Amino acid sequence: QVDLAESGGGLVQAGGSLRLSCALSGRTYVRSYALGWFRQTREKEREFVAAINWDGLIGDHPYYADSAQGRFTVWRDNAEDTMFLQMTRLTPGDTAVYFCAARPPAPDRSVLARPNEYRYWGQGTQVTVSS
């Protein structure tokens, strides 16, 4: 079992920034697990935002959706067993409930963008961006 707990959501004006955190724990979790951020609204299905995959040769490697590339940064702090998502230049289109997720190391990056490939999920944290 892997337990995940998101925090850091809130209300921010367009153009502002937020940092989300995902605390990781549980009997099954190891630092080689792949981690992802997804978001969901009432109008859209759960959508990929960013992910980290462990590579045995190079270590953690981040991946981003087109909507996040250049604005969001994802990383894992192994000392704290926490994943972070730094979001900048936020727009109203970023308003959603943000979820973090975990799964065993993925064979390729395409797996990381599909919600049904993740076994463990947090409860979500609300991000609201006002115009």
Side-chain angles (χ1 to χ4, degrees):
Q1 179 65 41
V2 175
D3 297 318
L4 305 95
E6 304 93 339
S7 62
L11 175 64
V12 64
Q13 291 186 329
S17 301
L18 282 174
R19 179 177 292 184
L20 305 183
S21 300
C22 176
L24 303 154
S25 62
R27 175 174 49 85
T28 306
Y29 177 71
V30 294
R31 292 171 178 174
S32 60
Y33 261 51
L35 306 172
W37 286 101
F38 295 79
R39 63 190 185 188
Q40 188 169 14
T41 69
R42 286 175 288 181
E43 294 82 17
K44 297 180 179 179
E45 297 180 350
R46 192 161 295 187
E47 176 188 36
F48 171 67
V49 178
I52 298 171
N53 198 35
W54 173 260
D55 186 297
L57 297 177
I58 65 174
D60 276 352
H61 196 287
Y63 300 97
Y64 299 97
D66 289 343
S67 61
Q69 186 71 48
R71 298 191 300 129
F72 296 0
T73 303
V74 63
W75 73 95
R76 171 177 13 209
D77 187 329
N78 288 327
E80 298 182 1
D81 283 330
T82 303
M83 176 178 60
F84 297 94
L85 181 69
Q86 179 69 42
M87 304 186 293
T88 65
R89 288 176 283 152
L90 288 162
T91 75
D94 296 314
T95 295
V97 177
Y98 283 71
F99 298 87
C100 60
R103 58 153 288 144
D108 57 76
R109 67 180 294 180
S110 65
V111 170
L112 304 178
R114 298 197 289 268
N116 62 350
E117 296 287 353
Y118 289 81
R119 181 177 300 175
Y120 305 104
W121 293 86
Q123 294 298 307
T125 185
Q126 177 71 48
V127 172
T128 303
V129 184
S130 61
S131 59

